[in-house]
Amino acid sequence: MRKPYVYITRKLPEPIVDQFRLFSEVKMWNSENLPVPREVLLEEASKADALLTMLSDKVDQQLLSVGKNLKVIANLAVGFDNIDVIEATKRGVAVCNTPDILTDTTADLVFSLILMTARKLVEAVDCVKSGEWKSWSPLFMAGADVHHKTIGIVGMGKIGEAVAKRALGFDMKVLYHNRNRKVEAEQTLGVTYQSFNDLVSESDFVVCLTPLTEETKGMFNKETFRKMKHAAFFINASRGAVAVEKDLVDALKNGEIAGAGLDVFVKEPIDLDHPLLQLENVVALPHIGSASVETRLAMMKRCCQNIELILNGKQPLNVLNM
Ligand code: DGY
């Protein structure tokens, strides 16, 4: 019997690929760092029973219409805004993601970003390495405190709750905004639900973790930044397009907010001459929320399990549209 054909859109470690070989004929793109060209992806999609995709691959109507044999797309991410899930559902293609296993790793990164931004850690490291550290001085590299401040989490999913737990360890007051109230989290963690506007105006750290959808696109814009405290920081670890980058640049330049810690951008990789990268009060990371070796390997394995289960007609561990 013909083995199913699985195409992986980025070079993954051999031990992971070996797991695919147990149940499929598998091929993968030959670069770890560069995305598969669109024409190669379309060609492979036209033959594949399953695709393991990255968040940089667009799985749209065009791809799904050539993928006549496709049964499953497994995205190596919890976010899935790169995939037209409605179209996949119409065509009977299952879409899987990797929730839960990346929760704590991503929350660790979010909290690092808060500390890096508020305490000027990048500037401080650069200053030591470039020999600009001349003496201990009273206000040298003095940033803002994080402990005992107010954090406002927009998007209270599992990662939001994990960030809240970390914030409570810093004696912070935790506000959150979410489409649905999280009564259990309110009771167990002691976090407080706020309207979006109240959260934005009361928080010292506004942390965006909401998925990118038609409703959340551009929700952090000129008006939002104007409502924030001048001493507040904007932290984004969800998707770049939830913020209007031009408005963010203006708010940072005009002192409407104190700084931003960003792990995500509208265009990734961000262009080197992007105005955000010219600002001293911006800490920019290359979309590494879930990037620990343990977590990334677990995400790859999860994609493999989900693909195998679906190809065997079984219930996958994570599916968005079954
Ligand atoms: C996700 O999983 O959606 C992250 O953004 C990538 O690690």
Side-chain angles (χ1 to χ4, degrees):
M1 210 176 74
R2 175 184 88 89
K3 272 189 172 180
Y5 179 49
V6 179
Y7 186 71
I8 304 175
T9 68
R10 206 64 74 92
K11 191 163 192 266
L12 300 187
E14 273 305 304
I16 297 285
V17 186
D18 280 342
Q19 295 185 16
F20 281 92
R21 292 192 178 107
L22 296 175
F23 65 91
S24 67
E25 185 195 324
V26 58
K27 201 171 139 190
M28 65 184 166
W29 177 236
N30 58 19
S31 168
E32 200 184 320
N33 300 317
L34 291 176
V36 58
R38 180 73 180 171
E39 60 281 8
V40 177
L41 178 57
L42 290 176
E43 169 65 21
E44 293 296 342
S46 72
K47 299 182 286 190
D49 296 285
L51 291 178
L52 193 169
T53 53
M54 310 296 123
L55 49 84
S56 47
D57 302 316
K58 265 246 152 312
V59 179
D60 54 9
Q61 287 204 10
Q62 183 194 27
L63 184 144
L64 289 161
S65 68
V66 297
K68 301 277 183 237
N69 297 329
L70 277 177
K71 288 154 199 80
V72 49
I73 314 268
N75 210 33
L76 192 75
V78 64
F80 49 88
D81 48 284
N82 57 314
I83 301 181
D84 186 338
V85 180
I86 295 176
E87 185 64 25
T89 310
K90 273 192 216 153
R91 293 174 181 274
V93 180
V95 181
C96 301
N97 64 344
T98 60
D100 307 331
I101 39 189
L102 48 64
T103 299
D104 284 309
T105 303
T106 308
D108 285 350
L109 190 279
V110 171
F111 223 83
S112 311
L113 202 43
I114 292 172
L115 291 166
M116 286 167 83
T117 312
R119 296 295 304 268
K120 301 178 183 273
L121 297 184
V122 178
E123 268 176 87
V125 171
D126 286 351
C127 151
V128 175
K129 288 195 171 172
S130 65
E132 280 162 41
W133 180 26
K134 300 297 177 216
S135 73
W136 186 96
S137 333
L139 281 177
F140 174 60
M141 289 290 160
D145 276 330
V146 174
H147 65 87
H148 293 94
K149 295 279 179 72
T150 299
I151 182 172
I153 300 171
V154 179
M156 195 65 157
K158 297 229 170 87
I159 299 172
E161 287 189 23
V163 170
K165 283 185 195 152
R166 285 153 180 76
L168 293 168
F170 278 68
D171 293 318
M172 296 178 91
K173 177 176 171 189
V174 183
L175 310 177
Y176 80 95
H177 179 77
N178 200 54
R179 261 185 320 179
N180 314 309
R181 284 277 291 259
K182 293 294 187 90
V183 179
E184 204 184 311
E186 288 175 29
Q187 285 162 355
T188 55
L189 298 175
V191 299
T192 306
Y193 176 83
Q194 285 288 29
S195 70
F196 180 65
N197 286 342
D198 286 350
L199 176 146
V200 163
S201 53
E202 285 174 33
S203 300
D204 300 299
F205 296 89
V206 175
V207 177
C208 175
L209 293 170
T210 185
L212 175 63
T213 63
E214 279 313 310
E215 290 78 51
T216 62
K217 192 171 177 185
M219 75 190 284
F220 291 92
N221 53 33
K222 201 183 299 179
E223 286 76 46
T224 326
F225 296 126
R226 283 208 180 123
K227 285 183 193 120
M228 285 175 64
K229 298 179 188 175
H230 292 318
F233 295 87
F234 174 64
I235 307 292
N236 189 4
S238 70
R239 290 293 181 267
V242 295
V244 178
E245 285 179 345
K246 181 177 177 322
D247 294 353
L248 176 58
V249 168
D250 291 344
L252 288 160
K253 271 190 180 163
N254 302 337
E256 283 164 28
I257 65 174
L262 309 169
D263 186 39
V264 288
F265 303 89
V266 171
K267 175 170 178 274
E268 295 181 359
I270 185 170
D271 291 329
L272 258 190
D273 61 354
H274 193 292
L276 275 173
L277 300 191
Q278 320 310 318
L279 298 173
E280 272 182 10
N281 49 355
V282 170
V283 172
L285 298 180
H287 202 149
I288 54 167
S290 61
S292 71
V293 174
E294 298 97 314
T295 292
R296 286 285 167 86
L297 289 176
M299 289 163 69
M300 293 171 202
K301 281 188 196 148
R302 180 59 60 88
C303 287
C304 180
Q305 288 171 312
N306 283 330
I307 289 177
E308 183 176 12
L309 285 165
I310 292 206
L311 293 179
N312 286 327
K314 298 201 179 126
Q315 178 67 26
L317 300 169
N318 317 97
V319 65
L320 295 158
N321 61 343
M322 200 76 138

